Amino acid sequence: MMGLWGFADGAYGSFWVIYLTSVAGFTLSQIGLFQLLFFYSLAFLDFPLGGFADRYGRRFTLRIGYLLMAVGYYLLLLASIPTIFTAGLLLGASNALVTGTLEAWIVDALGTREEATLGKVFGRGEAIHTAGMLIAGPVGMLLVAIGGLQAVFSAVLAAAVGKLLVTVIMVENYGGKAASYVDTLREGLRLVGGSRLLQTYLVASLLSGTWASHFLLLWQPVLVDLGLRKAYLGPVYTLLLATMSVSSYLSGRVMGRLKPSTVLALASAVSSACLALLAVGPRHLLAYMALFAGLEASLGLSLPAGAVWRNAHLPSEVRATVLSLFSTASSLAIGAYYCVAGLLAERIGMHTSFLVPLALAATSALLYYSLSLRNPYLESREPT
């Protein structure tokens, strides 16, 4: 399933803008409205639908999510303004149904919160997901040559249907099945509100997400500004994804020896060093490519480690609820920061603007490091 998810993400992410402009005839302002519908439906539905998964079943919720996802991609293929805007809403809702739910299902299907085991599973999962994204580029180019952009989105639709079919062999599991839906949501909020550990992790993860969005927004224009031909952006993207895939796998392996919080702190320290050099170091193309690869490696290390840490500290009864709450906060923070990052790049320059994500990454490194220590202040309200 992670490979299908990665392929769909990679193919969609590589071609969706050009598809909307060239096939559907969208303007940039209409594309902005499409993204607004997607992110707002995701942000405002994520938390309540996480509670739905805990109460009524994770597999059942995943089936609804993948069904809506398939319908959304089908509506994109119809390529009219009404169907595409409807697709934006459905794709946001489907992602809200899937995000925290799949992670919660995996952990409870394994039946353990032991960090070394979770590390191997999530490390391999992230590596497979990134590998799926990696092959999406060349496969997408082949599909464009054969059948145009609609062939690419037909393949994305097929991947969504494939994910729906995989749920047939999944075993159902629940969170707080005995509690009411409203009580499940309240318990999730109470848990986060009463745990300094979870609050510290949430703030650190939001800071990490915002610096990562700065990097994702600017790496292409920065490299072009330094002299890279636009035709070479594809191969560079492939290299970055390969770096992320390898580091995700290694992250899962090292968590048998290091705490997830330690891996998170080290990854944030690496990203801080790379961002510092991007902001004040020499502006050479090869140096920047190496630093961007370092940022991708730090992201690859942190994604499995973050999944392991938060699931090791969440009870099964509200696991999907809290994961979806975290996802909601992340969507709102990252969506807002994209606007800030663009304004910063325009006002103070793309290179100098990396000073801001440097501060965010350094702060997140300190917060993650505090999670690796025995801190009486944090542990005094640790969830059970």
Side-chain angles (χ1 to χ4, degrees):
M1 181 180 288
M2 296 304 294
L4 288 172
W5 195 346
F7 174 81
D9 285 350
Y12 179 87
S14 298
F15 296 100
W16 73 276
V17 174
I18 191 172
Y19 175 81
L20 291 181
T21 55
S22 62
V23 176
F26 266 41
T27 64
L28 291 178
S29 61
Q30 288 173 323
I31 291 176
L33 180 57
F34 173 83
Q35 283 292 85
L36 182 69
L37 291 172
F38 173 83
F39 276 108
Y40 270 60
S41 61
L42 172 60
F44 289 105
L45 291 175
D46 210 341
F47 173 59
L49 290 177
F52 181 89
D54 279 330
R55 175 63 181 82
Y56 297 105
R58 279 77 176 264
R59 183 183 68 171
F60 175 63
T61 305
L62 288 172
R63 285 179 174 176
I64 298 174
Y66 291 135
L67 177 61
L68 290 180
M69 191 176 293
V71 173
Y73 286 136
Y74 173 74
L75 291 176
L76 280 180
L77 283 171
L78 298 181
S80 70
I81 290 178
T83 61
I84 287 177
F85 281 144
T86 304
L89 289 170
L90 290 179
L91 291 174
S94 67
N95 276 271
L97 284 160
V98 169
T99 47
T101 305
L102 180 59
E103 191 174 307
W105 181 88
I106 291 171
V107 174
D108 285 339
L110 290 171
T112 180
R113 291 195 289 176
E114 199 269 321
E115 292 178 346
T117 301
L118 293 180
K120 291 179 181 179
V121 171
F122 282 112
R124 290 171 183 168
E126 287 293 343
I128 293 170
H129 177 266
T130 309
M133 294 180 66
L134 189 63
I135 67 171
V139 172
M141 293 175 65
L142 178 62
L143 290 172
V144 169
I146 295 173
L149 288 167
Q150 286 190 315
V152 176
F153 282 85
S154 296
V156 172
L157 170 59
V161 173
K163 288 183 280 188
L164 177 61
L165 294 176
V166 169
T167 62
V168 173
I169 62 174
M170 295 171 65
V171 177
E172 184 65 278
N173 62 40
Y174 299 84
K177 187 178 180 181
S180 71
Y181 169 68
V182 174
D183 286 342
T184 301
L185 294 180
R186 287 175 178 169
E187 178 60 21
L189 289 171
R190 187 202 64 78
L191 180 67
V192 176
S195 169
R196 295 191 183 106
L197 274 174
L198 293 178
Q199 293 164 12
T200 301
Y201 169 80
L202 176 59
V203 173
S205 65
L206 292 179
L207 293 175
S208 296
T210 48
W211 78 249
S213 65
H214 196 107
F215 157 58
L216 294 173
L217 179 67
L218 293 183
W219 76 266
Q220 293 186 14
V222 164
L223 291 183
V224 171
D225 181 62
L226 291 173
L228 183 72
R229 294 181 181 179
K230 292 181 180 179
Y232 293 144
L233 286 173
V236 171
Y237 182 58
T238 299
L239 176 64
L240 294 177
L241 285 178
T243 303
M244 186 176 180
S245 181
V246 172
S247 61
S248 292
Y249 176 77
L250 293 176
S251 177
R253 302 294 295 180
V254 301
M255 273 186 281
R257 300 179 180 179
L258 298 177
K259 295 179 181 179
S261 53
T262 303
V263 176
L264 287 166
L266 290 173
S268 294
V270 170
S271 62
S272 299
C274 292
L275 289 165
L277 291 172
L278 287 169
V280 300
R283 297 180 180 179
H284 297 301
L285 178 60
L286 291 179
Y288 266 61
M289 289 175 63
L291 292 172
F292 286 152
L295 290 177
E296 282 285 352
S298 69
L299 287 174
L301 288 170
S302 62
L303 289 174
V308 171
W309 189 94
R310 57 182 174 260
N311 280 287
H313 290 80
L314 292 178
S316 174
E317 290 76 12
V318 290
R319 190 184 307 280
T321 304
V322 176
L323 291 175
S324 295
L325 177 61
F326 286 176
S327 179
T328 296
S330 178
S331 296
L332 293 173
I334 291 174
Y337 186 78
Y338 265 117
C339 298
V340 175
L343 290 173
L344 282 171
E346 291 175 354
R347 295 290 178 86
I348 65 176
M350 291 188 294
H351 304 274
T352 307
S353 71
F354 281 106
L355 287 171
V356 175
L358 164 61
L360 299 174
T363 305
S364 70
L366 292 174
L367 291 174
Y368 283 136
Y369 180 67
S370 73
L371 294 176
S372 67
L373 303 174
R374 292 195 60 82
N375 189 325
Y377 174 76
L378 295 181
E379 293 176 354
S380 63
R381 300 176 71 188
E382 183 176 359
T384 57

